[in-house]
Amino acid sequence: MHYLNDRKILEVSGIDTINFLQNLISNDLGEIKKRKIIHTFLLNNKGKILFEFYIHDVNDRVLIDVNEQSVDDLLSHLISYKLRSKIDISIKNEYAVFWSETNTKYTSDPRNAKIGLRGIEPKKQISSEDYTNNFDNIRIFESIAELNKDFKSEDVFPHELDSYMNSISNEKGCYPGQEIVSRVYHNKVISKKKFMRLAYTGSPKSQGTKLFQDKKEVGFLGSNANGFCLAYTNREFASNRYEVKHDELINISA
């Protein structure tokens, strides 16, 4: 197993936990005890991604597995919706997220089973060997974009991610941004831009670097690893004829 040191844990507890989260998130918590883990979005009213995270059922506890850069903002956001709900929300620094390519003690990633299995364990179990992992290499190869690593809050819509389908329920009730999501689903909208994996050469550029083709801005760069990057750009460039060099999209068949 491997420790994902860029993840933090929030616990939501109390008799209103399921109803409270169900009214905010894009996925359905109805089968969390059976599935053990779901991936979900919390959207703004325009349907763009504010937060993305996993929800785990661990011994009847509801634990949120979220990128460390989002944990404080997510905590504040959830508290702002608490009102009279009988819940408590807190950061659990004594727990950590672990990942494995093969350890079936954990649960397959609901976004895409090819990017391994994950679970939550007490942080005291971490050993020095656990700090190295292949997660981002596999994630990028499978074109799985993540908030903070590839895009910023309120930058993109769920349907601009290859992995979004398992993070949204089209049967559950209302939540912020649901009207936009429903319209996309029922009208079979295909986004003009998307995150895609492209071959990458040159010195690495930071997330958010503008991407150009023939001096025209066509998107921005996400993360990169092992000669590939994730790029948010026009869907027409999703072919093996294109690669990125530094911040320039090159047609290598021209």
Side-chain angles (χ1 to χ4, degrees):
M1 63 184 187
H2 304 278
Y3 168 45
L4 297 182
N5 64 348
D6 62 348
R7 308 295 292 185
K8 292 289 186 180
I9 304 299
L10 285 173
E11 180 174 18
V12 185
S13 59
I15 61 174
D16 291 337
T17 292
I18 299 300
N19 285 339
F20 172 75
L21 290 172
Q22 191 80 321
N23 289 329
L24 293 176
I25 64 173
S26 62
N27 214 336
D28 190 350
L29 274 175
E31 294 190 344
I32 186 64
K33 290 189 180 297
K34 177 181 177 182
R35 295 165 63 183
K36 295 301 180 186
I37 180 175
I38 67 167
H39 182 267
T40 189
F41 303 116
L42 203 160
L43 308 176
N44 66 15
N45 289 330
K46 295 180 180 179
K48 289 192 173 184
I49 299 169
L50 270 176
F51 301 98
E52 58 119 356
F53 47 88
Y54 298 86
I55 300 178
H56 300 248
D57 177 82
V58 181
N59 300 323
D60 294 324
R61 300 173 69 184
V62 175
L63 301 178
I64 292 175
D65 154 9
V66 62
N67 185 278
E68 63 179 354
Q69 295 179 45
S70 295
V71 67
D72 291 330
D73 288 340
L74 177 58
L75 176 61
S76 297
H77 190 85
L78 293 176
I79 289 173
S80 73
Y81 277 90
K82 180 181 176 181
L83 301 178
R84 296 181 181 179
S85 298
K86 295 178 181 178
I87 58 167
D88 291 304
I89 312 168
S90 57
I91 297 175
K92 295 295 179 182
N93 288 318
E94 66 270 32
Y95 288 97
V97 179
F98 289 84
W99 171 85
S100 172
E101 292 183 67
T102 57
N103 188 346
T104 54
K105 174 183 179 181
Y106 300 135
T107 307
S108 291
D109 194 306
R111 292 182 295 173
N112 183 331
K114 292 181 180 179
I115 59 172
L117 306 98
R118 64 197 295 139
I120 293 175
E121 302 266 16
K123 191 176 285 187
K124 63 184 180 182
Q125 295 192 23
I126 299 170
S127 67
S128 59
E129 292 81 11
D130 292 331
Y131 280 85
T132 57
N133 68 75
N134 202 32
F135 175 73
D136 279 329
N137 294 342
I138 297 172
R139 177 184 65 80
I140 291 169
F141 188 80
E142 296 297 335
S143 301
I144 308 295
E146 285 193 350
L147 177 64
N148 299 321
K149 292 183 177 180
D150 300 292
F151 60 94
K152 296 178 182 177
S153 180
E154 302 188 80
D155 270 358
V156 303
F157 293 98
H159 67 287
E160 294 173 321
L161 308 180
D162 273 356
S163 56
Y164 85 99
M165 287 297 293
N166 291 334
S167 304
I168 286 177
S169 169
N170 291 300
E171 285 77 44
K172 63 167 287 187
C174 293
Y175 55 88
Q178 188 264 346
E179 181 181 349
I180 308 300
V181 170
S182 180
R183 191 181 306 152
V184 166
Y185 174 72
H186 289 291
N187 292 336
K188 298 180 172 59
V189 173
I190 297 176
S191 61
K192 293 180 180 179
K193 289 183 180 286
K194 61 173 285 188
F195 270 97
M196 62 189 75
R197 183 194 75 207
L198 294 169
Y200 185 87
T201 57
S203 57
K205 298 291 184 179
S206 61
Q207 180 264 315
T209 298
K210 293 179 179 179
L211 180 64
F212 296 90
Q213 188 193 43
D214 299 327
K215 298 183 179 180
K216 179 182 178 181
E217 185 178 336
V218 292
F220 60 82
L221 295 176
S223 50
N224 63 81
N226 282 351
F228 293 100
C229 71
L230 290 180
Y232 176 77
T233 188
N234 302 342
R235 184 175 288 272
E236 66 196 75
F237 298 130
S239 82
N240 57 12
R241 293 180 302 157
Y242 294 94
E243 68 176 32
V244 177
K245 186 173 183 180
H246 301 292
D247 59 355
E248 187 74 21
L249 189 61
I250 308 294
N251 186 339
I252 58 178
S253 64

